[in-house]
Amino acid sequence: MTFCLYECLRAVGLQQHYARFTSAGVCRAAHLSELTIEDYPHLGICTMEERARLFDLVQMIKRNKFKPDADNLPFDHHLEESFNSAITRGTSMHNSDNILLSRCASFQNPNPRSTIVSSETSTNKTPGPQNRKGISRKQSLPPDMKRTTSFGCMAKPTPVFEVKAAANYNYGLPLKVPHRITVCVRKRPLTRVESRRKESDVVTAPSGECVIVHESKDAVDLSPYILEHRFYFDHVFDERNSNEDVYQNTAYPLVQHMLNGGNATCFAYGQTGAGKTHTMLGSPPGRPGLYALAVRDIFTHLSATRTHPSLQVFVSFFEIYCGQLYDLLDHRKRLFAREDGQKMVHISGLRHVRVDSVNSLLEVISHGTKTRTQGMSGVNPCSSRSHALLQIQLRNSNQQIAGRMWFVDLAGSERASDTKEPDKQSRMEGAEINQSLLALKECIRALDRDQSHTPFRQSKLTQVLKNAFIGDSMTCMIANISPGHGATEHTLNTLRYADRKWIELRRRVESSRDINSKEEKELKRDFQDFDGSSEERKMHLRRYHEALQKFIPSTSSSFHLETPSPQTSISSSIPLSFLRHSSSLSVSANGCSGPEEYLDTDAVGGEVRTEANRRPFPLTTGEFHSLNESAPVQHYNHSETRCEQVRGESQKKLGGATGDKRVPKRSAGTDIQHRRLAWDATQQKDPVNVTTILTNLKAQVSDSNDSEDRKALGVEIHNASYSPADGMCSAKQEAAAVVSGCGLFSHTLESTPQQDPAERPLSPACEQTNTFSTSGKLSDVCLEFSNAESHWEQLKEMDALCHKEGLLLHQQPDMGFGEYVHRLEEIMEKKAQCVHSMRAQLQPYLKTIISIMNNPSSISSR
Ligand SMILES: Nc1ncnc2c1ncn2[C@@H]1O[C@H](COP(=O)(O)OP(=O)(O)OP(=O)(O)O)[C@@H](O)[C@H]1O
């Protein structure tokens, strides 16, 4: 029975899609009459030519008035006869394309049926995949089509599922605004060899911005299903698009940028044999690639405009093979990339050839291409095994560069297992290619995060392209993909590589444009750059503290006390910015014995004194000592004398010079350890103390009539009840309860159980509920600040873990690029999720700071 369907399809040259038809439920020729044009893409029919053929076939079946519900046995025989004559007509059916095209265009389905049915409506159960996270079930054909299974001709149709993007893994929505980085995908047609192998086309491009990969999978019960992966890019080109189409949407804007004096780079990336060289160089005859098309436009522009009569065009062409540079225009002379004093990279010895026409350029390039390193890959018999870099320079009469453009034909990525005869050389080549592509990715990632350091030196490729990335540059990435089902994994890897790297970068760049204030940008970046050293961390904290100081009323004083312990040399400081002349609150510190080297405080008649009750007190962040060094210090009345005195005593105990506020720097880990000790001591040894302190503070709050005082005290209570281990504690809740009576807190405080950071899940921030309101309360800001600190520790752990996992991956030389990148991406994704959720949590905090900084008076009005 199904043989007839195959014959029908073969008659119109669509037999390569037979598997797709049957997997979509079209098992018999009669079922074809149910198809509408909307169904075609789901069956892998994408080109106009194929659409026209299928359309003709469907019409022919309809004309025969066969119904799918009828007994199909005679139908098939009848149809077979019809097709026998059709087959004998052979080419006439193929040649009727023009007529069919017009018929297709005029074909309108008055009631187009939805071709996608949600999983809830389907009773067709396939165990396994539907329960998977991020996968939703789709039905590629209408419900009535599904009835075809009742004919008993075949088992139930293959279900289709769609991969849903995770929350922070948005595949990159197409953005309409012009941008510096463009990402495009180009799908090539099936090659003759692939067609001969009866490979089916698993890639469809339903729109100019979307590409779908239909991955064929088996469920746990071995039932087949199709997983649809949907990606969005700036442009998606399919097999119908010519090099000219690709050029107009990719390199043309770069050429314009170059003609205006800018730097531009166009990459072609993809699996071996995916069409990179075809895109860049073109295929003779008469199918010029981007190189030639760009130079054509450059010369057209130069001849048309009289503004730059003296501009000359120079080209250089070299390759990077196994980490070495070779000049393709100078008998493969070895080249060296060197940095000058301005950190600009120059390639010494590189030959630049002047060209004055497109033909002369093509001559130069064909000369260079002959000497380019080629080999035989598992897919491509003429595979380029090196990165080829063509540089086009515009130079003025003084030989100064007035515009530069790079075309980079990257070496094809290939898994080691794909290599047919993996000798040592090809293994080394593969490893080198993968490593340089990874380095490229790392650089982009660093640029993406606006990191101060971008690892350009990780590979020759990134080192050479350094100038192309920095400054006023424009970049376009063309990800080339193969459509065959045998290359599905590679295709997905290529799309993920391009997608993750570039779209994310652009999205962030553009989201940063939305941030109006410069300060907010800086603060945001600070939170993104969490992976700094201890010193960097302190610097960040200092900046936040300074930001906080800005909106504290000017009459307030700020000083800190140090309580060094002879045993542990701990230094802790409290920014007592809330001290005011009206309600003087002084705090002094004593050196404590044992691990409880905390500030002993108690309140006596509006003062918090330490002498009366020597009780442990968990101090606020130990890092504040450094930031307070830069903050203006004012002392009031007797507090000043007392503080100086205490400081002197403390220093004496330490054996240091009196008056020197600096304390020995310790690692963040030590700080945390001590702070945790402190916290444990507070919780276990003398849990009453916090309550006592809070009660005293409460007394002050209720005594104070000044609203500012009350707010400041609220902050201090938060500081006082800070939990070093987790950022939240019961005392904090208590503090909230105390102060909420004074109207200082409006949000709910949550307690998280104390847990060792190593035992915590990797991205706990994802789980935490953000209860922080953007009300702009200083106390809330402080609360978030302490939260930020606890997240810091976890992020560091995460970072170390990722680093370790990454190193382990590095140590597996036989691992193919696709697998390598995939596994690395899994690691990075875990980390990204962690960072993402932390950032989400900190967002309101940042907003609050900014709003208060922009309008300092708001804090007092609240
Ligand atoms: N868009 C296209 N249209 C028609 N044929 C194409 C297209 N793209 C690629 N091809 C053909 O596919 C084959 C492989 O293409 P190409 O050599 O450009 O791949 P590649 O990505 O450069 O491979 P490698 O990285 O191994 O050098 C060539 O025969 C080429 O003519």
Side-chain angles (χ1 to χ4, degrees), residues 186-189 191 238-239 241 243 270-279 283 287 372 374-375 377 380 382-385 409-413 480:
R186 184 177 197 190
K187 170 199 169 191
R188 67 157 168 76
T191 58
D238 63 15
E239 57 273 34
N241 293 109
N243 278 346
Q271 183 209 351
T272 173
K276 299 179 293 294
T277 310
H278 175 85
T279 304
S283 297
R287 286 200 284 180
R372 188 178 171 189
Q374 289 194 332
S377 73
N380 192 357
C382 295
S383 175
S384 325
R385 307 310 294 151
D409 180 2
L410 292 168
S413 57
N480 293 81

mmCIF file of all heavy atoms in Angstrom, residues 186-189 191 238-239 241 243 270-279 283 287 372 374-375 377 380 382-385 409-413 480, ligand 1:
data_model
loop_
_atom_site.group_PDB
_atom_site.id
_atom_site.type_symbol
_atom_site.label_atom_id
_atom_site.label_comp_id
_atom_site.label_asym_id
_atom_site.label_seq_id
_atom_site.Cartn_x
_atom_site.Cartn_y
_atom_site.Cartn_z
ATOM 1 N N ARG A 186 22.804 30.216 6.943
ATOM 2 C CA ARG A 186 22.602 29.838 5.551
ATOM 3 C C ARG A 186 22.546 28.315 5.448
ATOM 4 O O ARG A 186 23.478 27.619 5.874
ATOM 5 C CB ARG A 186 23.734 30.360 4.670
ATOM 6 C CG ARG A 186 23.442 30.050 3.238
ATOM 7 C CD ARG A 186 24.472 30.582 2.300
ATOM 8 N NE ARG A 186 23.919 30.605 0.948
ATOM 9 C CZ ARG A 186 24.615 30.837 -0.116
ATOM 10 N NH1 ARG A 186 25.897 31.103 -0.034
ATOM 11 N NH2 ARG A 186 24.049 30.845 -1.297
ATOM 12 N N LYS A 187 21.453 27.876 4.881
ATOM 13 C CA LYS A 187 21.291 26.436 4.672
ATOM 14 C C LYS A 187 21.593 26.139 3.201
ATOM 15 O O LYS A 187 21.075 26.814 2.319
ATOM 16 C CB LYS A 187 19.840 26.071 5.005
ATOM 17 C CG LYS A 187 19.430 24.682 4.636
ATOM 18 C CD LYS A 187 17.907 24.585 4.565
ATOM 19 C CE LYS A 187 17.507 23.281 3.935
ATOM 20 N NZ LYS A 187 16.073 23.257 3.623
ATOM 21 N N ARG A 188 22.416 25.163 2.993
ATOM 22 C CA ARG A 188 22.706 24.811 1.601
ATOM 23 C C ARG A 188 21.761 23.693 1.156
ATOM 24 O O ARG A 188 21.161 23.016 1.992
ATOM 25 C CB ARG A 188 24.164 24.381 1.438
ATOM 26 C CG ARG A 188 24.544 23.103 2.105
ATOM 27 C CD ARG A 188 25.773 22.496 1.450
ATOM 28 N NE ARG A 188 26.352 21.417 2.220
ATOM 29 C CZ ARG A 188 25.858 20.196 2.307
ATOM 30 N NH1 ARG A 188 24.729 19.895 1.696
ATOM 31 N NH2 ARG A 188 26.472 19.265 3.013
ATOM 32 N N PRO A 189 21.629 23.472 -0.140
ATOM 33 C CA PRO A 189 20.786 22.352 -0.580
ATOM 34 C C PRO A 189 21.493 21.022 -0.331
ATOM 35 O O PRO A 189 22.699 20.993 -0.090
ATOM 36 C CB PRO A 189 20.607 22.614 -2.072
ATOM 37 C CG PRO A 189 21.767 23.455 -2.461
ATOM 38 C CD PRO A 189 22.175 24.235 -1.268
ATOM 39 N N THR A 191 23.451 17.930 -1.246
ATOM 40 C CA THR A 191 24.379 17.712 -2.360
ATOM 41 C C THR A 191 23.956 16.453 -3.126
ATOM 42 O O THR A 191 23.114 15.688 -2.652
ATOM 43 C CB THR A 191 25.828 17.521 -1.851
ATOM 44 O OG1 THR A 191 25.828 16.413 -0.964
ATOM 45 C CG2 THR A 191 26.334 18.748 -1.134
ATOM 46 N N ASP A 238 17.862 30.108 2.823
ATOM 47 C CA ASP A 238 17.776 28.680 2.511
ATOM 48 C C ASP A 238 18.368 28.407 1.136
ATOM 49 O O ASP A 238 19.015 29.277 0.536
ATOM 50 C CB ASP A 238 16.344 28.151 2.688
ATOM 51 C CG ASP A 238 15.367 28.812 1.729
ATOM 52 O OD1 ASP A 238 15.828 29.440 0.771
ATOM 53 O OD2 ASP A 238 14.147 28.689 1.940
ATOM 54 N N GLU A 239 18.120 27.215 0.643
ATOM 55 C CA GLU A 239 18.780 26.781 -0.593
ATOM 56 C C GLU A 239 18.371 27.606 -1.809
ATOM 57 O O GLU A 239 19.041 27.578 -2.838
ATOM 58 C CB GLU A 239 18.512 25.292 -0.845
ATOM 59 C CG GLU A 239 17.044 24.905 -0.933
ATOM 60 C CD GLU A 239 16.428 24.586 0.421
ATOM 61 O OE1 GLU A 239 16.820 25.226 1.422
ATOM 62 O OE2 GLU A 239 15.548 23.722 0.485
ATOM 63 N N ASN A 241 18.254 30.837 -1.842
ATOM 64 C CA ASN A 241 18.958 32.120 -1.852
ATOM 65 C C ASN A 241 20.333 31.992 -2.486
ATOM 66 O O ASN A 241 21.079 31.045 -2.209
ATOM 67 C CB ASN A 241 19.096 32.657 -0.431
ATOM 68 C CG ASN A 241 17.751 33.038 0.153
ATOM 69 O OD1 ASN A 241 17.249 32.370 1.042
ATOM 70 N ND2 ASN A 241 17.155 34.102 -0.351
ATOM 71 N N ASN A 243 24.194 33.652 -3.556
ATOM 72 C CA ASN A 243 25.248 34.389 -2.857
ATOM 73 C C ASN A 243 24.948 35.883 -2.851
ATOM 74 O O ASN A 243 25.267 36.587 -1.893
ATOM 75 C CB ASN A 243 26.595 34.143 -3.532
ATOM 76 C CG ASN A 243 27.214 32.842 -3.080
ATOM 77 O OD1 ASN A 243 26.774 32.255 -2.089
ATOM 78 N ND2 ASN A 243 28.216 32.369 -3.801
ATOM 79 N N GLY A 270 30.875 27.047 10.410
ATOM 80 C CA GLY A 270 30.003 25.885 10.223
ATOM 81 C C GLY A 270 30.758 24.591 10.087
ATOM 82 O O GLY A 270 31.994 24.562 10.000
ATOM 83 N N GLN A 271 29.999 23.562 10.026
ATOM 84 C CA GLN A 271 30.551 22.217 9.901
ATOM 85 C C GLN A 271 31.294 22.082 8.578
ATOM 86 O O GLN A 271 31.003 22.818 7.625
ATOM 87 C CB GLN A 271 29.386 21.221 9.951
ATOM 88 C CG GLN A 271 29.791 19.772 9.914
ATOM 89 C CD GLN A 271 28.716 18.911 9.285
ATOM 90 O OE1 GLN A 271 27.616 19.380 9.025
ATOM 91 N NE2 GLN A 271 29.038 17.667 9.033
ATOM 92 N N THR A 272 32.194 21.181 8.540
ATOM 93 C CA THR A 272 32.898 20.956 7.277
ATOM 94 C C THR A 272 31.895 20.550 6.190
ATOM 95 O O THR A 272 30.992 19.750 6.422
ATOM 96 C CB THR A 272 34.018 19.887 7.462
ATOM 97 O OG1 THR A 272 34.544 19.592 6.188
ATOM 98 C CG2 THR A 272 33.511 18.608 8.095
ATOM 99 N N GLY A 273 32.045 21.172 5.053
ATOM 100 C CA GLY A 273 31.151 20.868 3.928
ATOM 101 C C GLY A 273 29.807 21.563 3.986
ATOM 102 O O GLY A 273 28.915 21.253 3.209
ATOM 103 N N ALA A 274 29.678 22.539 4.879
ATOM 104 C CA ALA A 274 28.370 23.198 5.032
ATOM 105 C C ALA A 274 28.187 24.371 4.069
ATOM 106 O O ALA A 274 27.099 24.933 3.974
ATOM 107 C CB ALA A 274 28.181 23.672 6.468
ATOM 108 N N GLY A 275 29.247 24.766 3.390
ATOM 109 C CA GLY A 275 29.100 25.814 2.389
ATOM 110 C C GLY A 275 29.784 27.132 2.719
ATOM 111 O O GLY A 275 29.437 28.170 2.148
ATOM 112 N N LYS A 276 30.790 27.103 3.572
ATOM 113 C CA LYS A 276 31.479 28.345 3.935
ATOM 114 C C LYS A 276 32.263 28.895 2.747
ATOM 115 O O LYS A 276 32.154 30.069 2.399
ATOM 116 C CB LYS A 276 32.446 28.095 5.113
ATOM 117 C CG LYS A 276 31.764 27.616 6.368
ATOM 118 C CD LYS A 276 32.729 27.368 7.486
ATOM 119 C CE LYS A 276 33.673 26.220 7.232
ATOM 120 N NZ LYS A 276 33.036 24.894 7.151
ATOM 121 N N THR A 277 33.036 28.021 2.134
ATOM 122 C CA THR A 277 33.855 28.473 1.013
ATOM 123 C C THR A 277 32.968 28.869 -0.160
ATOM 124 O O THR A 277 33.258 29.847 -0.859
ATOM 125 C CB THR A 277 34.850 27.361 0.612
ATOM 126 O OG1 THR A 277 35.513 26.925 1.791
ATOM 127 C CG2 THR A 277 35.860 27.847 -0.380
ATOM 128 N N HIS A 278 31.903 28.142 -0.339
ATOM 129 C CA HIS A 278 30.960 28.493 -1.405
ATOM 130 C C HIS A 278 30.413 29.901 -1.166
ATOM 131 O O HIS A 278 30.252 30.685 -2.109
ATOM 132 C CB HIS A 278 29.818 27.476 -1.428
ATOM 133 C CG HIS A 278 28.732 27.811 -2.394
ATOM 134 N ND1 HIS A 278 28.798 27.470 -3.730
ATOM 135 C CD2 HIS A 278 27.569 28.491 -2.231
ATOM 136 C CE1 HIS A 278 27.716 27.906 -4.349
ATOM 137 N NE2 HIS A 278 26.949 28.525 -3.461
ATOM 138 N N THR A 279 30.155 30.220 0.084
ATOM 139 C CA THR A 279 29.623 31.548 0.402
ATOM 140 C C THR A 279 30.683 32.621 0.202
ATOM 141 O O THR A 279 30.424 33.659 -0.412
ATOM 142 C CB THR A 279 29.124 31.572 1.868
ATOM 143 O OG1 THR A 279 28.165 30.540 2.031
ATOM 144 C CG2 THR A 279 28.517 32.902 2.231
ATOM 145 N N SER A 283 31.147 29.798 -6.413
ATOM 146 C CA SER A 283 31.454 28.605 -7.216
ATOM 147 C C SER A 283 31.427 29.010 -8.677
ATOM 148 O O SER A 283 30.457 29.602 -9.145
ATOM 149 C CB SER A 283 30.388 27.531 -6.997
ATOM 150 O OG SER A 283 30.384 27.113 -5.681
ATOM 151 N N ARG A 287 29.034 32.424 -10.255
ATOM 152 C CA ARG A 287 28.395 32.525 -8.946
ATOM 153 C C ARG A 287 29.396 33.107 -7.957
ATOM 154 O O ARG A 287 29.986 32.377 -7.137
ATOM 155 C CB ARG A 287 27.902 31.163 -8.466
ATOM 156 C CG ARG A 287 26.656 30.716 -9.227
ATOM 157 C CD ARG A 287 25.896 29.661 -8.469
ATOM 158 N NE ARG A 287 26.533 28.355 -8.557
ATOM 159 C CZ ARG A 287 26.050 27.263 -7.967
ATOM 160 N NH1 ARG A 287 24.959 27.332 -7.249
ATOM 161 N NH2 ARG A 287 26.671 26.108 -8.104
ATOM 162 N N ARG A 372 46.270 27.237 -0.263
ATOM 163 C CA ARG A 372 45.649 27.040 1.048
ATOM 164 C C ARG A 372 45.657 25.557 1.422
ATOM 165 O O ARG A 372 45.480 24.692 0.543
ATOM 166 C CB ARG A 372 44.207 27.565 1.024
ATOM 167 C CG ARG A 372 43.569 27.581 2.382
ATOM 168 C CD ARG A 372 42.171 28.158 2.346
ATOM 169 N NE ARG A 372 41.503 27.958 3.619
ATOM 170 C CZ ARG A 372 40.226 28.188 3.839
ATOM 171 N NH1 ARG A 372 39.466 28.664 2.863
ATOM 172 N NH2 ARG A 372 39.711 27.978 5.019
ATOM 173 N N GLN A 374 44.476 22.197 2.275
ATOM 174 C CA GLN A 374 43.218 21.472 2.115
ATOM 175 C C GLN A 374 43.432 20.013 2.474
ATOM 176 O O GLN A 374 44.546 19.505 2.453
ATOM 177 C CB GLN A 374 42.717 21.574 0.673
ATOM 178 C CG GLN A 374 42.216 22.959 0.349
ATOM 179 C CD GLN A 374 41.417 22.999 -0.938
ATOM 180 O OE1 GLN A 374 41.635 22.193 -1.819
ATOM 181 N NE2 GLN A 374 40.512 23.942 -1.040
ATOM 182 N N GLY A 375 42.370 19.387 2.797
ATOM 183 C CA GLY A 375 42.454 17.976 3.134
ATOM 184 C C GLY A 375 41.129 17.333 2.842
ATOM 185 O O GLY A 375 40.203 17.973 2.353
ATOM 186 N N SER A 377 38.002 15.737 4.472
ATOM 187 C CA SER A 377 37.288 15.502 5.720
ATOM 188 C C SER A 377 36.270 14.398 5.491
ATOM 189 O O SER A 377 36.060 13.949 4.359
ATOM 190 C CB SER A 377 36.600 16.784 6.199
ATOM 191 O OG SER A 377 35.496 17.065 5.389
ATOM 192 N N ASN A 380 33.644 16.424 3.330
ATOM 193 C CA ASN A 380 34.043 17.207 2.168
ATOM 194 C C ASN A 380 35.392 16.726 1.636
ATOM 195 O O ASN A 380 36.388 16.774 2.350
ATOM 196 C CB ASN A 380 34.126 18.687 2.607
ATOM 197 C CG ASN A 380 34.256 19.624 1.439
ATOM 198 O OD1 ASN A 380 34.338 19.184 0.290
ATOM 199 N ND2 ASN A 380 34.274 20.911 1.718
ATOM 200 N N CYS A 382 37.243 18.159 -0.494
ATOM 201 C CA CYS A 382 38.155 19.313 -0.604
ATOM 202 C C CYS A 382 37.937 20.234 0.576
ATOM 203 O O CYS A 382 37.506 21.377 0.424
ATOM 204 C CB CYS A 382 37.908 20.079 -1.904
ATOM 205 S SG CYS A 382 38.298 19.145 -3.335
ATOM 206 N N SER A 383 38.196 19.732 1.713
ATOM 207 C CA SER A 383 37.913 20.509 2.917
ATOM 208 C C SER A 383 39.062 21.459 3.245
ATOM 209 O O SER A 383 40.233 21.087 3.149
ATOM 210 C CB SER A 383 37.691 19.552 4.081
ATOM 211 O OG SER A 383 37.530 20.265 5.254
ATOM 212 N N SER A 384 38.714 22.681 3.607
ATOM 213 C CA SER A 384 39.740 23.641 4.017
ATOM 214 C C SER A 384 40.079 23.335 5.471
ATOM 215 O O SER A 384 39.198 23.350 6.315
ATOM 216 C CB SER A 384 39.205 25.058 3.914
ATOM 217 O OG SER A 384 38.341 25.165 2.814
ATOM 218 N N ARG A 385 41.316 23.085 5.730
ATOM 219 C CA ARG A 385 41.713 22.716 7.087
ATOM 220 C C ARG A 385 42.330 23.873 7.844
ATOM 221 O O ARG A 385 42.980 23.684 8.865
ATOM 222 C CB ARG A 385 42.718 21.540 7.052
ATOM 223 C CG ARG A 385 42.273 20.339 6.274
ATOM 224 C CD ARG A 385 40.878 19.870 6.656
ATOM 225 N NE ARG A 385 40.768 19.363 8.018
ATOM 226 C CZ ARG A 385 39.660 19.427 8.738
ATOM 227 N NH1 ARG A 385 38.582 19.992 8.254
ATOM 228 N NH2 ARG A 385 39.623 18.945 9.955
ATOM 229 N N ASP A 409 37.067 32.930 6.482
ATOM 230 C CA ASP A 409 36.485 31.628 6.140
ATOM 231 C C ASP A 409 37.068 30.637 7.145
ATOM 232 O O ASP A 409 38.186 30.153 6.992
ATOM 233 C CB ASP A 409 36.879 31.278 4.690
ATOM 234 C CG ASP A 409 36.318 29.939 4.245
ATOM 235 O OD1 ASP A 409 35.590 29.309 5.037
ATOM 236 O OD2 ASP A 409 36.622 29.522 3.115
ATOM 237 N N LEU A 410 36.292 30.385 8.192
ATOM 238 C CA LEU A 410 36.818 29.554 9.271
ATOM 239 C C LEU A 410 36.926 28.104 8.824
ATOM 240 O O LEU A 410 36.160 27.645 7.968
ATOM 241 C CB LEU A 410 35.896 29.641 10.490
ATOM 242 C CG LEU A 410 35.865 30.991 11.202
ATOM 243 C CD1 LEU A 410 34.712 31.046 12.192
ATOM 244 C CD2 LEU A 410 37.174 31.265 11.912
ATOM 245 N N ALA A 411 37.871 27.419 9.409
ATOM 246 C CA ALA A 411 38.015 25.999 9.093
ATOM 247 C C ALA A 411 36.781 25.258 9.579
ATOM 248 O O ALA A 411 36.175 25.634 10.584
ATOM 249 C CB ALA A 411 39.263 25.448 9.773
ATOM 250 N N GLY A 412 36.449 24.207 8.865
ATOM 251 C CA GLY A 412 35.230 23.474 9.219
ATOM 252 C C GLY A 412 35.392 22.700 10.505
ATOM 253 O O GLY A 412 36.398 22.023 10.704
ATOM 254 N N SER A 413 34.398 22.796 11.351
ATOM 255 C CA SER A 413 34.456 22.026 12.590
ATOM 256 C C SER A 413 34.058 20.588 12.281
ATOM 257 O O SER A 413 33.205 20.327 11.444
ATOM 258 C CB SER A 413 33.509 22.627 13.629
ATOM 259 O OG SER A 413 32.212 22.673 13.128
ATOM 260 N N ASN A 480 26.864 28.505 8.546
ATOM 261 C CA ASN A 480 26.455 27.631 7.435
ATOM 262 C C ASN A 480 26.050 26.272 7.970
ATOM 263 O O ASN A 480 26.744 25.705 8.813
ATOM 264 C CB ASN A 480 27.620 27.464 6.448
ATOM 265 C CG ASN A 480 27.931 28.759 5.745
ATOM 266 O OD1 ASN A 480 28.611 29.623 6.293
ATOM 267 N ND2 ASN A 480 27.425 28.911 4.544
HETATM 268 N N1 LIG B 1 24.421 27.340 -1.253
HETATM 269 C C1 LIG B 1 24.927 26.344 -1.993
HETATM 270 N N2 LIG B 1 24.394 26.020 -3.160
HETATM 271 C C2 LIG B 1 24.894 25.040 -3.898
HETATM 272 N N3 LIG B 1 25.951 24.278 -3.537
HETATM 273 C C3 LIG B 1 26.529 24.537 -2.375
HETATM 274 C C4 LIG B 1 26.060 25.574 -1.530
HETATM 275 N N4 LIG B 1 26.827 25.604 -0.441
HETATM 276 C C5 LIG B 1 27.739 24.626 -0.592
HETATM 277 N N5 LIG B 1 27.571 23.990 -1.740
HETATM 278 C C6 LIG B 1 28.370 22.866 -2.219
HETATM 279 O O1 LIG B 1 28.674 22.027 -1.111
HETATM 280 C C7 LIG B 1 30.005 21.546 -1.189
HETATM 281 C C8 LIG B 1 30.797 21.893 0.063
HETATM 282 O O2 LIG B 1 30.834 23.291 0.191
HETATM 283 P P1 LIG B 1 32.109 24.098 0.742
HETATM 284 O O3 LIG B 1 33.374 23.548 0.183
HETATM 285 O O4 LIG B 1 31.831 25.522 0.530
HETATM 286 O O5 LIG B 1 32.025 23.708 2.263
HETATM 287 P P2 LIG B 1 32.927 24.275 3.438
HETATM 288 O O6 LIG B 1 32.018 24.613 4.534
HETATM 289 O O7 LIG B 1 33.810 25.345 2.963
HETATM 290 O O8 LIG B 1 33.733 22.992 3.840
HETATM 291 P P3 LIG B 1 35.157 22.924 4.565
HETATM 292 O O9 LIG B 1 35.044 23.602 5.840
HETATM 293 O O10 LIG B 1 35.391 21.468 4.711
HETATM 294 O O11 LIG B 1 36.110 23.581 3.650
HETATM 295 C C9 LIG B 1 30.623 22.170 -2.423
HETATM 296 O O12 LIG B 1 30.555 21.242 -3.448
HETATM 297 C C10 LIG B 1 29.715 23.342 -2.740
HETATM 298 O O13 LIG B 1 29.662 23.615 -4.112
#
